[in-house]
Amino acid sequence: MTIPSFETIKLWSLIEDWPYRASVDAEITSMVDKGYSSETIVRAVRFIGAFIECQNKRNGGEPERLDAADIDQFIAIRLSSGAIKNGNRIALRRLQIELVRAGVLCPPAEKADPAEKFATLYGAELFRRG
């Protein structure tokens, strides 16, 4: 499968100028290697472009400013407005993984296992009681 042309995508110029474009390229290559359809890849690139546009507006035109919470906030905003389609959230999560691999973002903190949390609280309570 060949990589589709993205020149006609409205926000493609933002992606081309983004300092972390290599991560977008890595995601596209990964999607092609896994056999995703051209339509799915184009949809993912459009959504990434929308994310970058939102980031530029929020950060006053500083595209290099990026935080792991930015992706979560963008997804939450899109979910609340009903402007998120199947696969869009996955596309941004893949981008987040590529950004972590590139060293741009820190990996998200792992959530504590509920059983481990309970055991820790139980141990603290036993220690408190003596």
Side-chain angles (χ1 to χ4, degrees), residues 109-130:
E110 293 183 24
K111 295 180 180 175
D113 180 29
E116 184 179 323
K117 183 178 178 182
F118 177 77
T120 303
L121 291 174
Y122 182 70
E125 181 64 18
L126 289 176
F127 181 76
R128 185 185 68 79
R129 290 182 182 187

Side-chain angles (χ1 to χ4, degrees), residues 5 10 13 18 34 40 49 54 59 61 67 70 78 81 86 102-103 106-107 110 112 115 117 126 128-130:
S5 173
K10 177 181 156 187
S13 62
W18 198 43
K34 291 178 182 175
T40 302
C54 181
N59 293 332
D67 186 23
D70 294 339
R78 288 299 182 124
S81 68
N86 291 339
C106 294
E110 293 183 24
K117 183 178 178 182
L126 289 176
R128 185 185 68 79
R129 290 182 182 187

Side-chain angles (χ1 to χ4, degrees), residues 3 6 12 14-31 45 48 52 63 66 94-104:
I3 296 176
F6 302 115
W12 180 247
L14 288 176
I15 294 171
E16 283 185 322
D17 298 336
W18 198 43
Y20 312 116
R21 178 176 173 193
S23 294
V24 177
D25 292 341
E27 179 177 352
I28 292 168
T29 303
S30 171
M31 290 178 79
V45 170
I48 291 169
I52 294 170
L66 187 63
R94 277 194 220 109
L95 177 64
Q96 187 176 27
I97 289 167
E98 293 300 332
L99 290 168
V100 168
R101 283 185 189 155
V104 175

Side-chain angles (χ1 to χ4, degrees), residues 7 9 11 15 18 22 35 37-38 43 47 55 64-65 73 81 83-85 91-92 99 106 110 122 126:
E7 301 301 323
I9 294 178
L11 301 172
I15 294 171
W18 198 43
S37 69
S38 295
R43 203 174 330 126
F47 199 67
Q55 277 302 108
E64 63 278 350
R65 281 187 52 203
Q73 289 173 348
S81 68
I84 197 166
K85 295 180 183 172
L92 278 184
L99 290 168
C106 294
E110 293 183 24
Y122 182 70
L126 289 176

